[in-house]
Amino acid sequence: MILQSDDEFVRCPGDMEPGTENEESQPCQLPDTGSMLFAHKDKIIHCLTIIGQVEGHYLLSDRSKTTKYEHILPLLVSIAQDERIDGLLILLNTVGGDVEAGLAIAEVISGLRKPTVSIVLGGGHSIGIPLAVAAKRSFIAKSASMTVHPVRTTGLTLGVPQTFEYFRRMQDRITNFVVENSGITPERYSELVLNTGELVTDVGTILDGEDAVREGLIDSVGTVSDAIDALYELIINQ
Protein backbone atom coordinates (compact mmCIF):
# COMPACT_ATOMS: atom_id res chain seq x y z
CA MET A 1 0.00 0.00 0.00
CA ILE A 2 0.94 3.66 -0.28
CA LEU A 3 0.28 5.98 2.64
CA GLN A 4 -1.40 9.30 1.85
CA SER A 5 -1.77 10.52 5.41
CA ASP A 6 -1.89 9.15 8.94
CA ASP A 7 -5.31 7.58 8.40
CA GLU A 8 -5.70 7.22 4.65
CA PHE A 9 -4.07 4.77 2.30
CA VAL A 10 -4.44 3.33 -1.17
CA ARG A 11 -4.30 -0.44 -1.36
CA CYS A 12 -4.24 -2.66 -4.41
CA PRO A 13 -6.58 -5.66 -4.60
CA GLY A 14 -5.05 -8.56 -2.74
CA ASP A 15 -3.13 -6.37 -0.29
CA MET A 16 -3.08 -7.43 3.33
CA GLU A 17 -5.53 -5.78 5.66
CA PRO A 18 -4.33 -2.84 7.78
CA GLY A 19 -2.76 -4.00 11.00
CA THR A 20 -1.12 -7.08 9.52
CA GLU A 21 2.57 -7.50 8.80
CA ASN A 22 4.42 -6.11 5.76
CA GLU A 23 2.42 -2.91 5.92
CA GLU A 24 5.30 -0.57 5.08
CA SER A 25 4.73 2.26 2.61
CA GLN A 26 5.90 0.98 -0.77
CA PRO A 27 4.65 0.58 -4.35
CA CYS A 28 2.07 -2.16 -4.68
CA GLN A 29 2.79 -4.64 -7.47
CA LEU A 30 0.24 -6.84 -9.20
CA PRO A 31 2.08 -9.56 -11.16
CA ASP A 32 -1.03 -10.76 -13.04
CA THR A 33 -1.75 -7.36 -14.57
CA GLY A 34 1.70 -5.77 -14.57
CA SER A 35 0.47 -2.73 -12.68
CA MET A 36 1.45 -0.81 -9.59
CA LEU A 37 0.62 2.27 -7.56
CA PHE A 38 3.20 4.91 -6.77
CA ALA A 39 3.29 8.41 -5.35
CA HIS A 40 4.64 11.37 -7.32
CA LYS A 41 4.92 14.48 -5.18
CA ASP A 42 1.45 14.75 -3.62
CA LYS A 43 -0.44 12.61 -6.16
CA ILE A 44 -1.18 8.89 -6.45
CA ILE A 45 -0.56 7.43 -9.91
CA HIS A 46 -1.50 4.01 -11.22
CA CYS A 47 1.09 2.58 -13.63
CA LEU A 48 -0.21 0.00 -16.12
CA THR A 49 1.97 -2.00 -18.54
CA ILE A 50 0.74 -3.40 -21.84
CA ILE A 51 3.39 -5.79 -23.11
CA GLY A 52 3.93 -8.63 -25.54
CA GLN A 53 0.84 -9.63 -27.48
CA VAL A 54 -2.66 -8.47 -26.65
CA GLU A 55 -4.55 -11.70 -26.09
CA GLY A 56 -8.08 -11.97 -27.44
CA HIS A 57 -10.73 -14.66 -27.16
CA TYR A 58 -8.22 -17.49 -27.71
CA LEU A 59 -5.42 -18.42 -25.33
CA LEU A 60 -1.90 -17.94 -26.65
CA SER A 61 1.07 -20.17 -25.91
CA ASP A 62 2.42 -20.24 -22.38
CA ARG A 63 5.76 -19.28 -23.92
CA SER A 64 4.36 -15.95 -25.17
CA LYS A 65 4.34 -12.70 -23.25
CA THR A 66 0.72 -11.57 -23.27
CA THR A 67 -1.60 -8.86 -21.98
CA LYS A 68 -5.00 -10.33 -21.17
CA TYR A 69 -7.94 -8.02 -21.80
CA GLU A 70 -10.08 -9.76 -19.17
CA HIS A 71 -7.54 -8.53 -16.59
CA ILE A 72 -7.10 -5.03 -17.98
CA LEU A 73 -10.74 -4.02 -18.53
CA PRO A 74 -11.95 -4.47 -14.93
CA LEU A 75 -8.73 -2.93 -13.65
CA LEU A 76 -9.38 0.19 -15.75
CA VAL A 77 -12.92 0.39 -14.37
CA SER A 78 -11.59 0.20 -10.81
CA ILE A 79 -9.10 2.98 -11.59
CA ALA A 80 -11.91 5.13 -12.98
CA GLN A 81 -14.03 4.66 -9.86
CA ASP A 82 -11.31 4.97 -7.20
CA GLU A 83 -11.28 8.62 -6.12
CA ARG A 84 -7.91 8.14 -4.40
CA ILE A 85 -6.13 7.53 -7.71
CA ASP A 86 -5.28 10.80 -9.45
CA GLY A 87 -3.96 9.63 -12.83
CA LEU A 88 -2.98 6.72 -15.06
CA LEU A 89 0.44 6.11 -16.66
CA ILE A 90 0.52 3.48 -19.43
CA LEU A 91 3.79 1.81 -20.45
CA LEU A 92 3.60 0.18 -23.89
CA ASN A 93 5.92 -2.39 -25.41
CA THR A 94 3.66 -4.53 -27.58
CA VAL A 95 3.78 -6.30 -30.93
CA GLY A 96 0.00 -5.89 -31.28
CA GLY A 97 -2.48 -8.71 -31.13
CA ASP A 98 -6.23 -9.22 -31.19
CA VAL A 99 -7.93 -6.24 -32.85
CA GLU A 100 -11.20 -6.29 -30.91
CA ALA A 101 -9.51 -6.86 -27.56
CA GLY A 102 -7.04 -4.04 -28.25
CA LEU A 103 -9.78 -1.66 -29.36
CA ALA A 104 -11.84 -2.53 -26.28
CA ILE A 105 -8.95 -1.57 -24.00
CA ALA A 106 -8.26 1.59 -26.03
CA GLU A 107 -11.90 2.69 -25.85
CA VAL A 108 -11.94 2.38 -22.06
CA ILE A 109 -8.69 4.34 -21.75
CA SER A 110 -9.93 7.13 -24.03
CA GLY A 111 -13.17 7.35 -22.07
CA LEU A 112 -11.52 7.80 -18.67
CA ARG A 113 -12.17 11.21 -17.14
CA LYS A 114 -8.96 11.02 -15.14
CA PRO A 115 -5.69 12.29 -16.63
CA THR A 116 -3.94 9.63 -18.70
CA VAL A 117 -0.49 9.55 -20.30
CA SER A 118 1.03 6.79 -22.44
CA ILE A 119 4.61 6.15 -23.48
CA VAL A 120 5.81 3.70 -26.12
CA LEU A 121 8.99 1.92 -25.02
CA GLY A 122 10.56 -0.51 -27.45
CA GLY A 123 7.55 -0.87 -29.72
CA GLY A 124 3.90 0.01 -30.08
CA HIS A 125 3.02 -1.95 -33.19
CA SER A 126 -0.24 -2.76 -34.94
CA ILE A 127 -3.12 -2.54 -32.43
CA GLY A 128 -0.60 -0.95 -30.05
CA ILE A 129 -1.12 2.28 -32.02
CA PRO A 130 -4.74 2.81 -30.86
CA LEU A 131 -3.62 1.91 -27.34
CA ALA A 132 -0.89 4.57 -27.46
CA VAL A 133 -3.07 7.37 -28.83
CA ALA A 134 -5.99 6.58 -26.48
CA ALA A 135 -4.35 8.50 -23.63
CA LYS A 136 -4.85 12.25 -23.29
CA ARG A 137 -1.12 12.77 -23.81
CA SER A 138 1.24 10.38 -25.59
CA PHE A 139 5.02 9.96 -25.61
CA ILE A 140 7.43 7.69 -27.44
CA ALA A 141 11.03 6.88 -26.62
CA LYS A 142 13.51 8.05 -29.23
CA SER A 143 14.65 4.44 -29.82
CA ALA A 144 11.11 3.01 -30.01
CA SER A 145 9.16 2.25 -33.18
CA MET A 146 5.59 1.75 -34.36
CA THR A 147 4.48 -0.45 -37.28
CA VAL A 148 1.37 0.67 -39.15
CA HIS A 149 -0.18 -2.06 -41.30
CA PRO A 150 -3.57 -3.33 -42.48
CA VAL A 151 -5.74 -5.79 -40.58
CA ARG A 152 -4.71 -9.38 -41.24
CA THR A 153 -5.85 -12.80 -40.08
CA THR A 154 -4.57 -16.35 -39.71
CA GLY A 155 -6.32 -19.62 -40.42
CA LEU A 156 -9.13 -20.38 -42.84
CA THR A 157 -10.33 -17.42 -44.93
CA LEU A 158 -13.14 -17.53 -47.46
CA GLY A 159 -12.26 -15.79 -50.71
CA VAL A 160 -15.61 -14.07 -51.09
CA PRO A 161 -16.53 -10.35 -51.27
CA GLN A 162 -18.04 -10.45 -47.78
CA THR A 163 -14.64 -11.33 -46.29
CA PHE A 164 -12.95 -8.35 -47.88
CA GLU A 165 -15.79 -6.07 -46.82
CA TYR A 166 -15.39 -7.31 -43.24
CA PHE A 167 -11.66 -6.51 -43.30
CA ARG A 168 -12.34 -3.08 -44.78
CA ARG A 169 -14.86 -2.22 -42.09
CA MET A 170 -12.55 -3.43 -39.32
CA GLN A 171 -9.71 -1.34 -40.76
CA ASP A 172 -12.05 1.67 -40.84
CA ARG A 173 -12.77 1.17 -37.14
CA ILE A 174 -9.06 1.28 -36.33
CA THR A 175 -8.40 4.24 -38.64
CA ASN A 176 -11.30 6.26 -37.22
CA PHE A 177 -10.19 5.66 -33.64
CA VAL A 178 -6.58 6.63 -34.35
CA VAL A 179 -7.60 9.77 -36.25
CA GLU A 180 -10.04 10.87 -33.53
CA ASN A 181 -7.41 10.47 -30.81
CA SER A 182 -4.30 11.82 -32.54
CA GLY A 183 -3.19 14.55 -34.93
CA ILE A 184 -2.92 12.47 -38.11
CA THR A 185 -5.40 12.76 -40.99
CA PRO A 186 -7.34 9.73 -42.27
CA GLU A 187 -5.78 10.14 -45.71
CA ARG A 188 -2.23 10.11 -44.35
CA TYR A 189 -2.91 7.18 -42.03
CA SER A 190 -4.32 5.18 -44.95
CA GLU A 191 -1.19 5.99 -46.97
CA LEU A 192 1.01 4.63 -44.17
CA VAL A 193 -1.16 1.51 -43.84
CA LEU A 194 -1.07 0.71 -47.57
CA ASN A 195 2.58 1.61 -48.21
CA THR A 196 4.15 -1.09 -50.41
CA GLY A 197 7.65 0.33 -50.65
CA GLU A 198 9.05 -0.28 -47.17
CA LEU A 199 8.32 -3.76 -45.80
CA VAL A 200 9.73 -6.65 -47.83
CA THR A 201 7.04 -9.26 -47.11
CA ASP A 202 4.23 -7.04 -45.90
CA VAL A 203 2.29 -3.83 -46.51
CA GLY A 204 2.71 -0.91 -44.14
CA THR A 205 5.18 1.52 -42.59
CA ILE A 206 7.64 1.45 -39.71
CA LEU A 207 7.90 4.74 -37.81
CA ASP A 208 10.65 5.51 -35.32
CA GLY A 209 10.03 7.86 -32.41
CA GLU A 210 10.64 11.12 -34.22
CA ASP A 211 8.74 9.96 -37.33
CA ALA A 212 5.70 9.06 -35.20
CA VAL A 213 5.68 12.57 -33.74
CA ARG A 214 6.23 14.17 -37.15
CA GLU A 215 3.26 12.25 -38.59
CA GLY A 216 1.02 13.40 -35.73
CA LEU A 217 0.43 9.95 -34.24
CA ILE A 218 2.27 10.70 -30.99
CA ASP A 219 2.50 14.03 -29.16
CA SER A 220 6.15 14.03 -28.05
CA VAL A 221 9.43 12.14 -27.96
CA GLY A 222 10.43 11.67 -24.35
CA THR A 223 11.36 9.48 -21.42
CA VAL A 224 9.36 7.91 -18.63
CA SER A 225 10.29 10.90 -16.44
CA ASP A 226 8.86 13.24 -19.08
CA ALA A 227 5.66 11.21 -19.16
CA ILE A 228 5.32 11.30 -15.36
CA ASP A 229 5.91 15.06 -15.29
CA ALA A 230 3.29 15.55 -18.03
CA LEU A 231 0.79 13.41 -16.13
CA TYR A 232 1.38 15.40 -12.94
CA GLU A 233 0.79 18.61 -14.88
CA LEU A 234 -2.48 17.25 -16.27
CA ILE A 235 -3.58 16.27 -12.78
CA ILE A 236 -2.96 19.65 -11.17
CA ASN A 237 -4.49 21.56 -14.12
CA GLN A 238 -7.67 19.52 -14.49
Side-chain angles (χ1 to χ4, degrees):
M1 76 181 177
I2 299 174
L3 296 178
Q4 285 184 280
S5 66
D6 292 339
D7 57 355
E8 293 182 341
F9 58 89
V10 174
R11 289 187 295 122
C12 293
D15 269 2
M16 303 183 71
E17 292 297 326
T20 59
E21 60 180 358
N22 297 326
E23 207 180 291
E24 298 177 359
S25 176
Q26 58 184 355
C28 170
Q29 300 182 8
L30 297 179
D32 288 342
T33 57
S35 66
M36 62 179 290
L37 288 169
F38 68 93
H40 180 67
K41 299 179 181 178
D42 57 338
K43 303 301 179 182
I44 299 296
I45 294 172
H46 194 116
C47 177
L48 173 66
T49 58
I50 297 177
I51 61 170
Q53 191 165 349
V54 178
E55 190 177 79
H57 303 305
Y58 298 96
L59 290 175
L60 297 175
S61 166
D62 291 338
R63 299 174 63 87
S64 301
K65 291 282 188 180
T66 62
T67 294
K68 299 178 182 295
Y69 77 99
E70 69 268 26
H71 291 171
I72 302 300
L73 292 179
L75 178 60
L76 289 172
V77 172
S78 71
I79 293 170
Q81 296 301 311
D82 194 333
E83 296 181 355
R84 300 165 297 183
I85 297 175
D86 299 301
L88 173 65
L89 175 68
I90 305 157
L91 307 182
L92 284 158
N93 186 13
T94 176
V95 296
D98 186 275
V99 171
E100 291 190 344
L103 278 179
I105 297 171
E107 285 285 3
V108 176
I109 293 172
S110 68
L112 292 176
R113 294 190 177 94
K114 293 184 178 183
T116 55
V117 170
S118 67
I119 179 167
V120 178
L121 302 165
H125 308 295
S126 189
I127 202 62
I129 295 173
L131 290 167
V133 304
K136 294 177 175 61
R137 182 83 188 275
S138 59
F139 286 83
I140 184 169
K142 190 174 182 180
S143 62
S145 63
M146 307 180 82
T147 303
V148 187
H149 63 70
V151 173
R152 72 278 304 274
T153 187
T154 57
L156 177 65
T157 301
L158 297 179
V160 295
Q162 292 91 332
T163 299
F164 297 103
E165 175 64 14
Y166 171 76
F167 284 140
R168 185 191 66 79
R169 293 174 66 179
M170 182 171 288
Q171 183 61 56
D172 287 345
R173 291 163 59 193
I174 297 172
T175 300
N176 291 337
F177 184 89
V178 171
V179 169
E180 289 173 2
N181 291 275
S182 70
I184 198 170
T185 65
E187 295 78 16
R188 181 54 180 161
Y189 190 75
S190 295
E191 288 179 9
L192 296 175
V193 167
L194 300 176
N195 179 18
T196 59
E198 184 165 334
L199 301 177
V200 176
T201 60
D202 202 349
V203 177
T205 307
I206 298 176
L207 303 173
D208 63 23
E210 293 180 347
D211 287 339
V213 174
R214 191 178 302 114
E215 293 289 354
L217 274 178
I218 301 296
D219 295 325
S220 308
V221 174
T223 65
V224 171
S225 295
D226 295 327
I228 294 173
D229 289 342
L231 180 56
Y232 182 79
E233 185 177 348
L234 287 176
I235 292 171
I236 62 176
N237 290 331
Q238 67 177 342

